[in-house]
Amino acid sequence: MLNRFRISIILLMAGPMLSPLAVAQNQPPQHPATVKGQKAGTTGDQKPAPAPRHDISGTWEPANGPQDGVQADGVKAMPNDNKPQHQLPYTPYGSQVFKSHHALEGAQAVLPGFFDDPRDKCEPLGFPRMNFYNLRETQILQNEYKVVMLYQYATTWRVIWTDGRELPKTVDGGVAVGGEVKEPRYYGYSVGKWADDTTLVVQTAGTMGEDRVWLDTAGRPISDQLRVEERLHRVDHDHLEWSVTIDDPKIYTKPWVAMDKFPMKLEDPHRDVMEQYCSPAEMERYNKLFGDPSSGPASHAPER
């Protein structure tokens, strides 16, 4: 019998690489390596060069290795491991929704034949789960109007507007934008502002409700009242820290930190990022051959 289960279906296909854009010059970020034999992104004494101003573009990967971004037991800073310090501040409704989810990972994990993660049907992960599921190589492109994030998993992209527009207000049925109500989105509506020369603060609202998306692989929920704050701080030329705060008054009694200065490192700008997809056919085949048989008689799901 399988005690744990994790699916990550990877199709390796060569894809074109988009070069990051600098803020004003619309050029790829310049590496300060001008001395023969000197490593890109370092000064003459091999220390990382300073971070460029208002520029987080590049291809980034988890600094502590790809597994650091998998986050199978839940969000990195608050995994679902039954430790008191990792208990989330649920509202009564939030606790009810969480108990209705049957996840494959975390302290309340069920057997493969009984889980109901929307990911099982290869539904869009949505935001902010995209930051908490197989966060591997991430390409960031930018110009003076917006920042675009390209995630490796599912070749998903999202736009963060930096042109001064305000974050849309959440209303019943969606968000208010320019005098009209627009539909909620899997990846929401995002705006960003520079807090200082090296820190971009991003606010996101207008995401899908609790019946469409999960927060993480451990089954924690979010609602359409969610508001997410991200802080992307470029420490130096080669290193980035990524923090995420969850604020969802419908599900949680107070805001809490899901990723706390998660370290990323810069890759070679010529890096060709491989594809990584969820395949419905492969998911069905796995469940038929392994997941369902390993779960025993399908009479009822195990109690939490």
Side-chain angles (χ1 to χ4, degrees):
M1 180 178 291
L2 297 178
N3 293 324
R4 308 283 287 177
F5 172 70
R6 183 176 300 126
I7 294 178
S8 180
I9 299 172
I10 304 176
L11 303 180
L12 299 178
M13 301 174 60
M17 173 69 177
L18 298 176
S19 299
L21 301 181
V23 180
Q25 290 79 15
N26 287 333
Q27 296 294 329
Q30 300 299 309
H31 292 280
T34 57
V35 180
K36 186 177 181 180
Q38 182 176 317
K39 182 182 177 181
T42 63
T43 58
D45 58 1
Q46 296 301 303
K47 292 182 180 180
R53 182 178 183 274
H54 288 185
D55 186 357
I56 57 171
S57 63
T59 300
W60 303 89
E61 66 173 345
N64 296 325
Q67 287 301 312
D68 202 33
V70 172
Q71 304 176 78
D73 290 327
V75 295
K76 185 68 179 181
M78 294 288 277
N80 184 14
D81 53 13
N82 269 347
K83 293 182 180 179
Q85 64 269 32
H86 294 153
Q87 297 300 311
L88 298 185
Y90 289 112
T91 63
Y93 176 72
S95 179
Q96 175 186 336
V97 176
F98 172 60
K99 290 177 180 178
S100 74
H101 292 173
H102 301 96
L104 278 171
E105 304 290 348
Q108 291 80 31
V110 300
L111 294 172
F114 305 109
F115 87 117
D116 57 3
D117 189 336
R119 175 181 60 88
D120 184 34
K121 298 181 176 63
C122 296
E123 286 289 306
L125 286 180
F127 184 80
R129 188 176 180 182
M130 204 69 211
N131 288 355
F132 310 137
Y133 182 83
N134 274 307
L135 182 64
R136 298 175 185 261
E137 292 174 299
T138 305
Q139 299 177 78
I140 301 179
L141 320 177
Q142 67 181 80
N143 61 25
E144 62 268 37
Y145 306 113
K146 57 184 173 288
V147 171
V148 179
M149 304 193 72
L150 307 177
Y151 296 87
Q152 181 179 3
Y153 182 78
T155 316
T156 297
W157 53 273
R158 51 186 282 245
V159 174
I160 301 165
W161 290 98
T162 57
D163 58 358
R165 70 183 65 188
E166 295 296 322
L167 183 69
K169 293 182 178 180
T170 302
V171 297
D172 289 339
V175 296
V177 179
E180 60 178 327
V181 176
K182 291 191 175 183
E183 76 284 355
R185 296 175 175 176
Y186 276 103
Y187 296 93
Y189 298 77
S190 299
V191 299
K193 295 180 180 179
W194 291 97
D196 53 42
D197 285 349
T198 58
T199 305
L200 181 67
V201 178
V202 181
Q203 303 286 341
T204 301
T207 56
M208 288 291 185
E210 55 271 36
D211 59 330
R212 303 295 297 274
V213 295
W214 286 9
L215 175 68
D216 60 14
T217 305
R220 270 82 77 90
I222 49 176
S223 78
D224 57 357
Q225 299 302 306
L226 174 72
R227 180 164 175 161
V228 180
E229 179 180 282
E230 298 168 273
R231 298 184 72 88
L232 295 112
H233 171 58
R234 192 162 184 171
V235 180
D236 54 41
H237 184 278
D238 294 341
H239 299 91
L240 182 78
E241 292 178 343
W242 198 343
S243 298
V244 182
T245 299
I246 303 298
D247 185 3
D248 188 340
K250 190 174 180 180
I251 302 294
Y252 304 103
T253 60
K254 62 181 179 180
W256 56 276
V257 176
M259 281 201 327
D260 188 13
K261 298 181 180 179
F262 183 82
M264 304 284 283
K265 65 180 180 180
L266 189 66
E267 290 191 326
D268 187 298
H270 302 96
R271 171 75 173 175
D272 186 13
V273 178
M274 294 293 99
E275 291 181 340
Q276 183 184 23
Y277 278 102
C278 176
S279 165
E282 290 295 332
M283 295 285 276
E284 182 179 2
R285 183 171 182 270
Y286 180 92
N287 289 334
K288 181 178 180 180
L289 295 179
F290 303 103
D292 293 339
S294 72
S295 302
S299 58
H300 66 278
E303 297 295 333
R304 291 199 176 203

